[in-house]
Amino acid sequence: MSIDGILNIDKPAGSTSLKIVNLVRRLSRQQRVGHAGTLDPNATGVLPICLGQATRIIPFLIDAPKTYCAEAELGISTATYDAEGEVTSRVDPSFVTREQLEEVLSSFLGSILQTPPMYSAVKYQGKRLYDLARAGIEVERKKRRVHIFHLELLRWQPPFFTIEIECGKGTYIRSLVHDLGQSLGCGSHLRNLVRLRSGLFEIGDSLTIPQLEDAFRHGYWQKLLYPMDAVLEHWIAAIVSQEKEQDIRWGRPLTLDGEEGEDKDRCRAYSLDGRFLAVLRFITERGLWQPEKVFSGDE
């Protein structure tokens, strides 16, 4: 029987996101398991793990804003932009003041262009960048537009500093730290990274691996699952008739009483008895709601 829901896991350092997926798959005996947003092996913190039909809403989870706490060091640049990489330059950073750092931080707020690091999972002509980097090949990477909603200096102990970042999807914190160092003229690299929040999931509520294993051992792990529609609560909810439920099942576009799309790109559809049926997407040119993700109640 398929079990649908989301676990909020606190990924430990030294473990890949895929390794956590495989652990949950083995413990739960579920085939459909996936994560919502990769964390680097040495990064820690919130890693949502989706099971069953919840794997189908992973794209919406990845789109959610994320918050990180990053510790960095000025004066040393590395090939990987973090402490694991080969040192590529050393510059005395003693000339950098707190005021200069805060001024540069403010320049990275908002919509910015960012180049993914060579040591990343981004693909170039069908190959992962990190595979090319390990082969000693460096290629030109296309800049990406990312969004930094909040950027705050938490601690300043030169040459070390700690910042909190709230950002949109696709943001590489390693690249952000690297670019900060370049702007300051001395270079910098990421020493430690913790994901504090991903969408509605917060680190204070996340499960450590020992806690997760204990929940499986004693048979209460399903009580720790978040329902898959919980992460979509920022969208409007529509309760549909049995007739419109059938339209949704068949993938037919429909109207919703009192709900025009306008700036509402998507909505959640529920049956009269409260079952989560589907994600509907508004088609502006037709004025109709198109079933985008339809969920089976008996899968």
Side-chain angles (χ1 to χ4, degrees):
M1 183 182 70
S2 175
I3 296 172
D4 309 319
I6 307 166
L7 290 167
N8 177 9
I9 306 297
D10 183 357
K11 189 190 85 64
S15 180
T16 66
S17 301
L18 181 58
K19 185 176 180 180
I20 304 301
V21 167
N22 289 335
L23 173 65
V24 172
R25 182 180 290 120
R26 176 174 60 81
L27 292 174
S28 66
R29 299 180 180 178
Q30 298 292 305
Q31 290 302 310
R32 296 167 63 185
V33 183
H35 66 76
T38 303
L39 275 173
D40 288 341
N42 288 322
T44 65
V46 174
L47 182 68
I49 300 291
C50 300
L51 294 89
Q53 295 185 90
T55 56
R56 301 181 62 211
I57 64 170
I58 284 176
F60 305 130
L61 275 168
I62 290 175
D63 283 349
K66 298 170 181 63
T67 303
Y68 297 89
C69 180
E71 297 178 10
E73 180 179 359
L74 294 173
I76 299 176
S77 300
T78 72
T80 57
Y81 300 173
D82 63 16
E84 297 299 304
E86 178 184 355
V87 174
T88 56
S89 72
R90 293 180 184 271
V91 175
D92 180 6
S94 59
F95 64 89
V96 177
T97 66
R98 182 187 184 109
E99 290 71 27
Q100 286 175 312
L101 177 56
E102 289 183 328
E103 183 178 353
V104 168
L105 284 172
S106 66
S107 71
F108 281 84
L109 278 171
S111 177
I112 64 170
L113 288 173
Q114 185 182 77
T115 303
M118 272 302 302
Y119 286 85
S120 66
V122 174
K123 285 189 176 182
Y124 175 83
Q125 296 183 354
K127 295 183 178 180
R128 300 287 186 186
L129 286 179
Y130 55 65
D131 289 330
L132 295 173
R134 288 165 185 160
I137 302 170
E138 181 165 354
V139 298
E140 186 175 350
R141 284 95 70 200
K142 185 178 180 181
K143 289 182 179 291
R144 296 177 165 192
R145 187 161 297 281
V146 297
H147 297 272
I148 309 297
F149 304 114
H150 176 77
L151 190 54
E152 180 182 358
L153 179 62
L154 299 180
R155 286 185 292 278
W156 170 239
Q157 296 176 311
F160 307 106
F161 66 94
T162 302
I163 54 177
E164 183 175 287
I165 310 107
E166 183 184 0
C167 57
K169 69 174 181 177
T171 305
Y172 276 94
I173 306 303
R174 282 184 288 136
S175 288
L176 177 65
V177 168
H178 172 81
D179 293 346
L180 284 169
Q182 295 299 112
S183 294
L184 287 164
C186 62
S188 62
H189 70 279
L190 182 68
R191 288 170 51 87
N192 187 50
L193 182 67
V194 181
R195 185 188 282 162
L196 303 175
R197 184 175 65 85
S198 178
L200 66 82
F201 301 107
E202 298 186 4
I203 196 166
D205 302 319
S206 61
L207 299 166
T208 64
I209 297 303
Q211 289 173 331
L212 177 72
E213 292 173 333
D214 183 76
F216 277 101
R217 189 179 303 115
H218 293 94
Y220 64 89
W221 70 275
Q222 292 185 44
K223 296 181 180 179
L224 304 175
L225 288 168
Y226 289 75
M228 57 184 174
D229 58 329
V231 299
L232 309 176
E233 288 184 350
H234 55 292
W235 295 342
I236 59 172
I239 299 173
V240 301
S241 65
Q242 289 183 336
E243 180 182 357
K244 289 187 177 181
E245 178 179 345
Q246 195 61 38
D247 287 335
I248 289 172
R249 296 291 182 203
W250 284 97
R252 292 191 287 253
L254 63 151
T255 59
L256 295 177
D257 295 338
E259 296 294 352
E260 295 181 0
E262 299 176 359
D263 61 344
K264 306 181 185 78
D265 185 39
R266 291 180 173 89
C267 77
R268 297 168 286 140
Y270 294 86
S271 65
L272 291 172
D273 58 0
R275 286 174 290 112
F276 179 42
L277 298 174
V279 169
L280 308 181
R281 179 172 55 88
F282 189 69
I283 306 173
T284 305
E285 57 271 21
R286 299 180 64 187
L288 297 172
W289 291 89
Q290 175 68 49
E292 181 177 12
K293 305 275 186 182
V294 180
F295 302 100
S296 169
D298 55 2
E299 186 174 338

